[in-house]
Amino acid sequence: MSSSDEYENTMDHEPDVESEQIGAKSSKVSNERKFLQYFQTASKKLSDGGNDPQVPKHVKNVQPGTNKKRVQKTLTFAWSVIRRFAVVSERHAAPNHKNDPGFNLSKSIVPINHQAAVAAKRKKEDNTLCESEDTEEVMEIENSSDNSSSGNASLVQVTTTQFGSKRPIQSTLNFTSEENSKQASRVCGDDISVIYNKIDKLLERMEITPSENKFMHNGETEAAVKILKESSCLSDIDGSGFNFYPDTFGGGIVRCEACFEMICDSSPALLDKDLLQVQRKMEKSPGNTLGAGLEHASCTTRNGGNAHYRAPIARKRRRVIKERSMDVLCNQLKSALFTVKIKAASLHYENAIGLVHSCGSDVGNLGHGRNQMKAMVQAFECYLHKRTRDLLTTPLPSTGLPPHFGTTSDKSTPIHVSNHAIMILVMLNGMKTAIPVDAPPVYSFSEAGLKGGTADELAEQVISALVKTLKLPNNSLSSLMAHQADGQYQSRMFLQTLKSSTQGDNKEDLLAAHDIFFVIPWDTAHWMDLCMVDIRESSEFLRRFIKRANQFNTMYGRGKGHAEYQGVAKQNSLKAHVTKVYATTRFASSSFSQFESIYESYEALCKAFSAIRETDDEDEEMKYMIKGRDFCLDLCGIIDILSKPMEMMIKSQSLDQYLWSVTKWWPKVKAILLAMKRGPTGQLSDIRKVTVRKQLFPKLWKHYEDLNEEDSVDCIFRGSVITRMDGRGYGRTGRQHFQKEKKSH
DNA sequence: CAAATCGATTCCAAGGGCGT
DNA sequence: ACGCCCTTGGAATCGATTTG
């Protein structure tokens, strides 16, 4: 956090649940992958207010070996067989282990791949009995609530006492290698009863132990035992706290969930490994057996039952941490989204985190740097692409086909690098929607030289955005119907490349250079803007007029001039629009508003000029430029003439107008323009004898009489009238001129 | 248990935009 | 032209985890 001092006093309400670092915690899973994993849940949580019952399931899915469904189907039979033997074996367990203080719930782990187990056992009997069990090491979670500085639960090894019985209580099965298990699966025998005995012992001990062990005397374990006893098949143990973990050989292991989770959580490296790999990992020496390893992952009553007693506590703690992690992640993702929305640099992600924290929300204690935002933005992007992909590949209910769509693209150079912005145009819930896809850099430099910018390369970029970025399947490309772009894309090469990549080559179409079913329409607005540029550049009249109109912005656009303009307008209670500049690089339609705002506030502008800036100097250019009668006439005329084309241009820019509507608009506009060309009627050489039609030139008509007044002092425009003298440009003001004429008469 | 490695964070500096 | 601010990449540092 860049300004941590500011927020330090709010640290009091930091929950004291644990001291583990919450946030973008690192593990074997890469940062980006983890964000992607979390993002779906997080985004769902964002959307439906956090009441997502799927969350624990999802988190669980990250762990291996929890695929219960498959097992419940295949091994229901096996479990029922085991249960049948249970009654018989009860007699065995009671006398054999009565005086066995070490006998415990660690036997809850029972391999039930029977054939493999039997074979392994047979093989084991050939060898000598394994003595390595006498001293065992139990992995145990250190209670980390007191040493919160490091915070992370660490594994410590505890040497446990020896079993009372000499013979191995749990038949340790030696199929740690794939070869052994393959060999084992070929052998079948009746020693399987040994396995059943283990389960009997387990059940028996679980029943006995609670009375002997205060730690085991909690409702959860008792309930688990009850469920386990009443189970007749594997699916019944659901909810008992024990779970079936399948292995890769079709068998599996019944484990105490809480204890196993505790082990796995404390050693994240185990998460990426499968069952046997976990086993090997947990074995300390190669000589150790699978059974011994399993025991470590089991629920155990050793150490006075402490381990199992702690496991549910640790589990609850983990769940609290997980929930907090989701909260934290949501807050962090919200901050990142906010930063994106305000179009700020990722540095401001840090500021957003600071703000969120200062508002009392939990932001964790990791993942606050701007570098973290990169991964989040990538996750956003991937998610958006997925949503777009789903939209484009899901068949519509009406047609049974995926929706047709179009693309549009344009180049842009914000600073130095030109980017090719590519968007998809598609109907979404009945609304025309433009979805951004990608913006690859146009030009690249390689050993072959400068590359990019040609028509076919641009077309390839469009295709690449669809195929590589969006990962659309190839058959979806045939739904691409059109590409909308400006002049540079109207080349045959672009169409050809795009069409052959999406819909395959069709020579007839290519020869005709167009295909009515695959079109590249030109953006109407761009086309009209080019017309406007042509008109502007070819007309000295317009250029001069724009130069004169820009004077207002120069004078009153900002600073002192702006204040004096606004002040004068307020004093005289006049309308005062903010002046604008006619930007030649921008669309003519956006610059057209300049003329309108001048028209609206011309009186205020002139008043401000007359009041403060105007001098008595007859040669002052400015007063003729902005207060001339010809300027007023031109202003009204230009607004009248251009208003219709500009209206059309603005309409054609909006997304909710169909491109081809312009074909209906243009004849009307053209008719109006032609009618304007015919009138004003009268002798144009003498402006005072020209009549203006109200319908065609509303503004000009409105002010024409005023502007024709010989003494125009009181006209609305309040400009000094300037007449043209002897074709030598602007002479004196109109008033001076008429005064002179009057004198001479 | 120490070294190595990895990841997150912070500090620093260069470069560009923009207002004065 | 100058200075301030923003952005961004890289180096340094710190802490946690893994490995030998």
Side-chain angles (χ1 to χ4, degrees):
Chain A
M1 215 183 303
S2 59
S3 50
S4 60
D5 295 343
E6 242 178 287
Y7 307 112
E8 217 146 53
N9 53 353
T10 61
M11 291 294 283
D12 302 0
H13 57 253
E14 185 80 14
D16 199 20
V17 177
E18 86 311 316
S19 52
E20 283 185 47
Q21 300 224 309
I22 298 292
K25 195 185 174 196
S26 65
S27 72
K28 285 230 164 183
V29 189
S30 76
N31 216 9
E32 286 160 29
R33 208 177 108 205
K34 188 156 61 64
F35 267 119
L36 282 176
Q37 279 173 354
Y38 275 114
F39 182 68
Q40 285 190 339
T41 359
S43 63
K44 200 170 179 188
K45 213 177 177 188
L46 286 175
S47 60
D48 59 21
N51 299 323
D52 187 8
Q54 298 286 327
V55 171
K57 239 183 204 173
H58 170 80
V59 171
K60 201 177 170 185
N61 283 343
V62 181
Q63 295 184 358
T66 50
N67 184 10
K68 266 198 296 186
K69 276 185 187 170
R70 180 172 65 99
V71 175
Q72 281 171 5
K73 280 181 188 170
T74 57
L75 290 167
T76 304
F77 175 70
W79 183 252
S80 60
V81 171
I82 291 169
R83 280 289 303 152
R84 249 186 285 146
F85 278 86
V87 183
V88 185
S89 309
E90 263 178 19
R91 288 189 298 267
H92 162 80
N96 278 340
H97 305 292
K98 203 173 254 175
N99 302 318
D100 183 1
F103 185 77
N104 54 56
L105 286 178
S106 65
K107 310 311 172 293
S108 61
I109 304 313
V110 181
I112 57 177
N113 186 344
H114 298 161
Q115 296 186 344
V118 169
K121 179 157 191 305
R122 185 171 278 173
K123 194 187 176 191
K124 187 177 162 59
E125 280 171 0
D126 293 342
N127 303 328
T128 56
L129 278 177
C130 180
E131 299 294 327
S132 66
E133 280 185 322
D134 290 348
T135 307
E136 288 183 13
E137 291 166 337
V138 170
M139 286 177 155
E140 190 183 340
I141 299 293
E142 187 186 7
N143 198 347
S144 64
S145 58
D146 43 356
N147 56 344
S148 56
S149 62
S150 75
N152 292 295
S154 62
L155 279 175
V156 294
Q157 294 164 2
V158 178
T159 307
T160 57
T161 56
Q162 190 180 335
F163 276 86
S165 168
K166 281 277 169 71
R167 62 184 290 273
I169 289 167
Q170 183 179 13
S171 63
T172 52
L173 302 176
N174 197 8
F175 59 101
T176 50
S177 74
E178 210 173 317
E179 263 183 37
N180 281 346
S181 64
K182 272 181 189 168
Q183 188 195 350
S185 63
R186 288 198 298 269
V187 193
C188 189
D190 53 2
D191 298 77
I192 201 166
S193 57
V194 178
I195 310 289
Y196 306 151
N197 290 341
K198 300 311 156 197
I199 292 184
D200 297 332
K201 289 176 204 164
L202 160 67
L203 286 171
E204 189 183 334
R205 281 299 162 180
M206 285 179 80
E207 203 175 18
I208 292 168
T209 317
S211 59
E212 298 170 344
N213 192 327
K214 57 169 181 160
F215 291 111
M216 288 300 293
H217 210 48
N218 61 59
E220 219 173 291
T221 310
E222 280 180 293
V225 171
K226 200 182 169 205
I227 291 175
L228 209 57
K229 271 188 80 85
E230 288 168 357
S231 297
S232 60
C233 66
L234 269 181
S235 58
D236 286 352
I237 69 170
D238 203 19
S240 68
F242 286 81
N243 206 350
F244 185 78
Y245 295 82
D247 63 16
T248 49
F249 305 109
I253 293 168
V254 177
R255 280 175 172 153
C256 172
E257 266 183 339
C259 289
F260 183 59
E261 274 179 25
M262 184 167 71
I263 300 282
C264 283
D265 261 39
S266 58
S267 181
L270 293 177
L271 288 177
D272 286 344
K273 299 180 166 61
D274 66 18
L275 206 64
L276 278 180
Q277 282 175 317
V278 171
Q279 223 47 73
R280 290 187 196 119
K281 180 81 187 169
M282 295 196 307
E283 284 166 14
K284 274 297 165 188
S285 64
N288 212 341
T289 63
L290 177 64
L294 288 175
E295 200 171 336
H296 295 306
S298 76
C299 153
T300 176
T301 53
R302 277 180 206 164
N303 199 13
N306 269 332
H308 182 75
Y309 178 70
R310 282 180 194 159
I313 297 172
R315 196 183 201 188
K316 269 177 200 161
R317 188 169 143 264
R318 273 198 309 278
R319 285 195 179 145
V320 171
I321 293 170
K322 284 241 157 83
E323 272 168 28
R324 188 186 164 207
S325 295
M326 287 307 294
D327 270 357
V328 164
L329 199 67
C330 282
N331 286 336
Q332 292 185 347
L333 288 171
K334 280 175 184 168
S335 304
L337 261 183
F338 169 75
T339 313
V340 171
K341 277 181 182 170
I342 64 171
K343 302 181 186 71
S346 32
L347 176 73
H348 292 290
Y349 168 70
E350 297 171 0
N351 297 333
I353 286 284
L355 176 68
V356 169
H357 180 67
S358 71
C359 293
S361 294
D362 193 356
V363 292
N365 33 23
L366 264 183
H368 302 155
R370 69 195 140 101
N371 291 335
Q372 300 307 308
M373 206 186 128
K374 279 184 188 171
M376 296 190 195
V377 170
Q378 282 169 359
F380 293 149
E381 196 193 353
C382 288
Y383 182 71
L384 290 176
H385 286 336
K386 185 184 171 297
R387 290 284 296 270
T388 311
R389 192 164 60 241
D390 290 347
L391 172 71
L392 294 183
T393 51
T394 309
L396 295 171
S398 50
T399 63
L401 292 171
H404 291 119
F405 63 96
T407 50
T408 181
S409 67
D410 197 7
K411 288 193 296 183
S412 168
T413 312
I415 305 173
H416 297 294
V417 181
S418 293
N419 287 90
H420 189 196
I422 300 162
M423 298 181 106
I424 278 179
L425 310 173
V426 67
M427 297 294 282
L428 179 61
N429 297 329
M431 301 273 288
K432 282 186 291 179
T433 314
I435 303 170
V437 178
D438 203 2
V442 178
Y443 305 101
S444 61
F445 194 80
S446 62
E447 290 180 0
L450 190 63
K451 201 184 133 205
T454 63
D456 53 334
E457 282 163 334
L458 290 174
E460 272 169 21
Q461 283 189 325
V462 173
I463 296 298
S464 161
L466 296 178
V467 175
K468 288 182 185 163
T469 311
L470 205 54
K471 296 194 178 62
L472 271 186
N474 275 331
N475 58 356
S476 289
L477 284 182
S478 56
S479 300
L480 176 60
M481 288 287 112
H483 182 93
Q484 187 168 333
D486 64 4
Q488 200 194 353
Y489 299 86
Q490 303 294 319
S491 75
R492 185 184 298 191
M493 196 53 139
F494 183 80
L495 174 74
Q496 199 172 312
T497 313
L498 200 61
K499 190 174 180 307
S500 61
S501 324
T502 56
Q503 313 203 329
D505 285 318
N506 185 341
K507 281 184 182 172
E508 288 177 19
D509 290 343
L510 292 180
L511 286 177
H514 71 274
D515 170 10
I516 57 167
F517 294 114
F518 189 87
V519 288
I520 301 192
W522 196 351
D523 165 23
T524 320
H526 270 93
W527 190 83
M528 285 195 69
D529 189 53
L530 286 185
C531 297
M532 282 306 301
V533 171
D534 273 359
I535 295 170
R536 193 182 67 222
E537 292 305 312
S538 63
S539 159
E540 200 199 333
F541 162 72
L542 267 180
R543 271 184 285 146
R544 191 189 305 124
F545 180 76
I546 288 169
K547 190 181 168 192
R548 289 171 78 176
N550 278 341
Q551 294 301 320
F552 292 110
N553 186 61
T554 317
M555 282 192 298
Y556 301 123
R558 67 182 86 83
K560 188 180 164 193
H562 181 73
E564 100 195 15
Y565 162 54
Q566 295 285 340
V568 171
K570 199 173 181 183
Q571 266 182 3
N572 298 278
S573 54
L574 293 169
K575 226 189 227 177
H577 287 203
V578 174
T579 57
K580 294 165 186 164
V581 66
Y582 191 101
T584 51
T585 50
R586 284 164 58 201
F587 263 27
S589 58
S590 54
S591 297
F592 178 70
S593 59
Q594 179 203 19
F595 300 152
E596 285 178 324
S597 76
I598 289 176
Y599 172 82
E600 290 294 331
S601 35
Y602 188 76
E603 195 175 351
L605 286 165
C606 285
K607 196 150 222 160
F609 181 72
S610 306
I612 297 171
R613 302 214 172 184
E614 191 174 14
T615 59
D616 290 335
D617 186 2
E618 272 199 23
D619 293 333
E620 192 196 14
E621 190 187 7
M622 187 62 76
K623 87 173 90 170
Y624 305 112
M625 282 181 82
I626 65 174
K627 286 174 73 175
R629 172 197 276 188
D630 59 335
F631 180 78
C632 301
L633 283 170
D634 290 346
L635 183 65
C636 292
I638 284 174
I639 288 176
D640 283 340
I641 292 170
L642 285 184
S643 61
K644 293 296 169 190
M646 286 302 161
E647 200 182 326
M648 178 172 146
M649 195 168 166
I650 290 168
K651 260 194 169 180
S652 67
Q653 283 176 46
S654 76
L655 276 175
D656 55 359
Q657 286 296 334
Y658 288 107
L659 191 59
W660 47 85
S661 304
V662 76
T663 53
K664 284 192 84 177
W665 298 339
W666 173 240
K668 292 179 189 169
V669 175
K670 191 181 175 187
I672 294 173
L673 287 177
L674 284 176
M676 282 176 170
K677 194 180 174 186
R678 283 194 296 273
T681 54
Q683 294 178 347
L684 286 172
S685 57
D686 188 349
I687 200 168
R688 278 164 291 181
K689 287 175 184 169
V690 174
T691 56
V692 178
R693 280 203 280 160
K694 185 185 177 183
Q695 291 86 355
L696 288 176
F697 300 97
K699 290 196 164 54
L700 201 56
W701 178 85
K702 188 178 174 187
H703 305 290
Y704 202 67
E705 292 296 315
D706 292 339
L707 287 168
N708 263 342
E709 288 291 321
E710 287 199 352
D711 187 358
S712 64
V713 176
D714 293 318
C715 82
I716 288 177
F717 277 88
R718 291 174 196 277
S720 303
V721 180
I722 294 174
T723 53
R724 220 175 155 83
M725 297 183 67
D726 311 326
R728 283 189 288 112
Y730 304 110
R732 287 165 291 187
T733 64
R735 206 192 306 187
Q736 291 164 336
H737 176 72
F738 288 123
Q739 281 166 357
K740 244 186 181 178
E741 277 190 344
K742 276 178 188 170
K743 276 179 192 170
S744 65
H745 277 300

